[in-house]
């Protein structure tokens, strides 16, 4: 009896040991680098921006999530996605909490003062969403109106430049769209692709044909982190060349739907 017990204890111990060995394999493999985190690329995003990043159950999916995953694979690294408010992404990068930001982020001169951008991987426009029966027909009609935007976005910046407009800032783009349906605001200024998603999920809204100027999305890295920026650019070039980027985009945006 006693012997049997000892044997099973030993067996369990052996199992636990082999599990432990398994678990530490990653750590052993990463010994060459200075720290364990080096093998993990931390991406900062705001997962409220379909089809670029949004939740599907507990997972963050979307174009940026998949492009980032493909980049991480190219670089032989693990990807970890951190969800946060859009205006926390740049601070997360500058403080080193995140290695890069991928969030349908438009390249702007202001942002370039705080972060460096990779090559661009998508173009976008800011569009105007109104109620179907709205008198607002284009950007000029937004003067003096109540405009909903997502805090800290280029839509926020554009809206703030409109004469006499009252800008309501929301944490999530969809909250602005809901405020519009509730009649709390007159229009929403937001990126074209999420606009299509939100309008298709909501009754009685439309996107105006006349849009604001074209923008370009890129990945943001810490200022001076040329090593990572160049690695990402090389990965992006490979993924563009192989058709992987197009494949990812096509999965989330149907061709007849694209602008
Ligand atoms: N493209 C916009 C910007 O960069 C919005 C991005 C977003 O809301 N995720 O400001």
């Amino acid at each position: 009896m006693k012997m049997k017990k000892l044997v099973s204890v030993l067996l369990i111990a052996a199992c636990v040991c082999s599990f432990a060995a398994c678990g530490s394999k990653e750590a052993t493999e990463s010994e060459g680098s200075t720290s364990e985190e080096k093998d993990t690329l931390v991406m900062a995003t705001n997962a409220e921006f379909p089809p670029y990043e949004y939740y599907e159950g507990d997972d963050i999916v979307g174009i940026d999530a998949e492009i980032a995953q493909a980049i991480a694979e190219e670089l032989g690294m693990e990807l970890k996605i951190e969800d946060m408010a859009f205006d926390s992404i740049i601070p997360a990068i500058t403080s080193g909490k995140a290695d890069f930001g991928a969030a349908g982020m438009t390249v702007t001169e202001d942002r370039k003062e705080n972060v460096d951008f990779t090559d661009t991987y998508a173009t976008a426009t800011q569009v105007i969403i109104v109620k179907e029966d709205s008198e607002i027909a284009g950007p000029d009609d937004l003067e003096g109106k109540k405009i909903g935007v997502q805090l800290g976005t280029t839509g926020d910046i554009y809206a703030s430049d409109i004469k006499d407009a009252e800008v309501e800032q929301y944490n999530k783009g969809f909250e602005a769209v809901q405020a519009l349906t509730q009649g709390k605001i007159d229009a929403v200024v937001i990126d074209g692709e999420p606009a299509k998603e939100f309008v298709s999920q909501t009754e009685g809204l439309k996107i105006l044909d006349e849009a604001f100027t074209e923008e370009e999305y890129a990945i943001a890295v810490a200022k001076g982190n040329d090593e990572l920026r160049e690695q990402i650019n090389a990965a992006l070039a490979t993924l563009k060349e192989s058709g992987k980027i197009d494949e990812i985009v096509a999965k989330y945006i149907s061709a007849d739907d694209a602008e």
Side-chain angles (χ1 to χ4, degrees):
M1 274 301 158
K2 246 190 166 177
M3 195 58 193
K4 246 188 175 172
K5 208 171 184 185
L6 180 63
V7 168
S8 54
V9 166
L10 283 174
L11 269 176
I12 290 168
C15 282
V16 171
C17 280
S18 65
F19 266 122
C22 237
S24 65
K25 204 173 158 214
E26 258 182 35
T28 324
E29 273 173 0
S30 69
E31 255 167 21
S33 55
T34 43
S35 79
E36 228 183 290
E37 287 95 77
K38 275 276 158 69
D39 283 336
T40 305
L41 267 179
V42 179
M43 156 176 159
T45 198
N46 173 240
E48 301 292 342
F49 198 69
Y52 285 91
E53 41 269 328
Y54 58 99
Y55 278 97
E56 213 169 72
D58 290 335
D59 297 328
I60 296 172
V61 298
I63 296 171
D64 287 333
E66 289 207 24
I67 290 178
Q69 182 58 45
I71 290 171
E73 276 164 26
E74 282 292 322
L75 304 181
M77 292 171 130
E78 287 277 318
L79 179 72
K80 188 169 172 233
I81 303 180
E82 300 268 7
D83 183 23
M84 59 191 72
F86 184 77
D87 65 343
S88 298
I89 297 173
I90 289 181
I93 300 164
T94 53
S95 69
K97 278 190 205 130
D99 296 305
F100 69 90
M105 192 183 280
T106 304
V107 178
T108 71
E109 290 308 313
D110 270 359
R111 288 175 184 162
K112 276 189 196 166
E113 285 179 15
N114 297 304
V115 287
D116 286 340
F117 284 101
T118 64
D119 295 337
T120 64
Y121 62 90
T123 55
T125 48
Q126 293 295 312
V127 299
I128 302 163
I129 309 175
V130 291
K131 280 194 168 177
E132 261 162 10
D133 58 3
S134 173
E135 292 160 5
I136 299 170
D140 295 344
D141 300 332
L142 289 176
E143 251 187 60
K145 293 290 193 295
K146 263 192 170 174
I147 307 169
V149 296
Q150 188 185 355
L151 176 71
T153 60
T154 44
D156 188 356
I157 298 163
Y158 279 125
S160 308
D161 278 346
I162 295 167
K163 201 168 156 263
D164 299 327
E166 206 179 302
V167 181
E168 296 279 339
Q169 297 164 314
Y170 298 85
N171 282 320
K172 305 174 181 182
F174 193 61
E175 285 171 0
V177 172
Q178 284 173 314
L180 177 62
T181 50
Q182 290 159 7
K184 291 182 185 157
I185 53 175
D186 304 306
V188 173
V189 175
I190 195 166
D191 299 49
E193 290 304 330
K196 283 181 205 160
E197 297 269 344
F198 296 149
V199 167
S200 73
Q201 289 165 25
T202 321
E203 286 281 298
L205 299 180
K206 65 177 178 187
I207 298 171
L208 298 183
D209 291 335
E210 203 181 332
F212 290 97
T213 50
E214 192 145 286
E215 304 186 340
E216 289 186 317
Y217 290 168
I219 292 170
V221 299
K223 244 191 148 21
N225 191 351
D226 295 340
E227 192 188 342
L228 182 60
R229 191 174 49 78
E230 279 160 22
Q231 282 179 327
I232 294 177
N233 279 342
L236 274 175
T238 308
L239 296 165
K240 279 179 192 166
E241 182 80 25
S242 71
K244 180 75 181 168
I245 303 268
D246 287 343
E247 191 187 301
I248 293 170
V249 171
K251 183 173 157 190
Y252 290 93
I253 302 174
S254 60
D256 44 284
D257 206 63
E259 287 144 76

